[in-house]
Amino acid sequence: MIRVFYRPCGASRTEQHTAAYELLDAAVVSLGYAPAAVAKTEAGKPYFPDLPTLFFSIAHTEGYAVVALGDSPCGVDIEPLRPLPERVRKRFLGGADGEEAVRRWTERESYGKWEGRGFFAPPPAHDTVEYVTLRALDGYLITVCTAPPAAVERKLIGIEASK
């Protein structure tokens, strides 16, 4: 089961990054593990070297940090619902507009994180991966990418900011 955790965060990239890793520690503890050291693959994908059966992905944007954490490889992305530039929509999102464009963006980002190659990894056929999009935070979309038959809990788990 993959669970998705969130917490509010600030506007700066430093605040967002810090919030995401604090959230990761809190999420790991909430599942009964001790906070674990994070390493990165050569491509930059983070993982737990001492917990090889616990997988995670992190994302952040102005306002929120999210973590997907569970027993299967996963990728997660969060984006505010906002207009995207036309050149981006045409080049990467099939010309989609509005919420559909943001959904496609989060799918692409979450797939790139799951795959470990980032946003520019060619997107797969939809029948080879599963996307679960959550809209529980007002004004934001969160998408988790996994390989079937991994299960994604379809509710968000809020964790308060550490003091």
Side-chain angles (χ1 to χ4, degrees):
M1 173 71 65
I2 296 169
R3 292 179 172 87
V4 182
F5 301 84
Y6 75 94
R7 67 164 274 200
C9 66
S12 78
R13 298 285 290 168
T14 300
E15 291 172 308
Q16 294 168 25
H17 182 81
T18 299
Y21 278 94
E22 287 174 354
L23 178 61
L24 177 61
D25 283 346
V28 167
V29 168
S30 80
L31 294 183
Y33 297 92
V38 174
K40 291 188 177 182
T41 66
E42 284 185 28
K45 181 177 179 160
Y47 70 98
F48 296 126
D50 296 332
L51 298 171
T53 60
L54 188 62
F55 300 90
F56 72 94
S57 180
I58 62 173
H60 51 76
T61 191
E62 185 174 341
Y64 286 101
V66 296
V67 168
L69 178 68
D71 58 3
S72 301
C74 56
V76 70
D77 190 42
I78 181 171
E79 293 293 331
L81 291 167
R82 67 185 189 295
L84 297 173
E86 184 177 356
R87 63 180 165 63
V88 171
R89 291 184 292 111
K90 284 183 177 178
R91 182 170 179 195
F92 298 110
L93 308 174
D97 199 7
E99 186 171 327
E100 177 65 14
V102 175
R103 185 189 59 76
R104 288 183 187 187
W105 180 277
T106 61
E107 283 183 357
R108 197 170 173 124
E109 283 273 0
S110 66
Y111 171 74
K113 291 177 183 182
W114 172 74
E115 236 271 316
R117 296 189 307 161
F119 182 81
F120 296 103
H126 268 69
D127 60 349
T128 61
V129 298
E130 178 182 3
Y131 296 106
V132 175
T133 299
L134 305 168
R135 197 167 173 209
L137 299 174
D138 191 33
Y140 293 83
L141 286 184
I142 298 168
T143 298
V144 178
C145 178
T146 65
V152 177
E153 190 168 76
R154 294 177 185 268
K155 66 177 184 175
L156 294 173
I157 303 165
I159 294 184
E160 293 294 319
S162 60
K163 304 268 187 251

